[in-house]
Amino acid sequence: MVAGHVGAEGFIASEDPGPAVIEHVGTVWSALGSRRPGPGQIAWFDLTESGQARLDEARRGATHARR
């Protein structure tokens, strides 16, 4: 998963390292207090190819487990 924001050109990945992104999300979320965040107010996330592959694999496993 890649954190970033959506601009006029579409999704723009953050250049910040993971720990900085996590800190930003926590700081902004705390600042909102009890208010619910709106779309893009904290961050947008994009699923990487490897993340999509892992998700697909997990879904296949879950489908087989239900049978």
Side-chain angles (χ1 to χ4, degrees):
M1 186 172 3
V2 177
H5 68 278
V6 175
E9 307 85 33
F11 181 79
I12 301 167
S14 173
E15 295 181 10
D16 294 332
V21 171
I22 292 169
E23 183 176 342
H24 169 76
V25 169
T27 300
V28 175
W29 197 288
S30 292
L32 288 171
S34 63
R35 292 178 291 147
R36 185 177 183 176
Q41 193 167 5
I42 297 177
W44 283 89
F45 296 94
D46 189 28
L47 192 57
T48 62
E49 287 182 27
S50 64
Q52 183 64 55
R54 291 178 70 181
L55 177 61
D56 293 343
E57 183 179 318
R59 285 181 173 163
R60 282 192 297 276
T63 301
H64 293 301
R66 282 188 247 154
R67 291 182 183 181

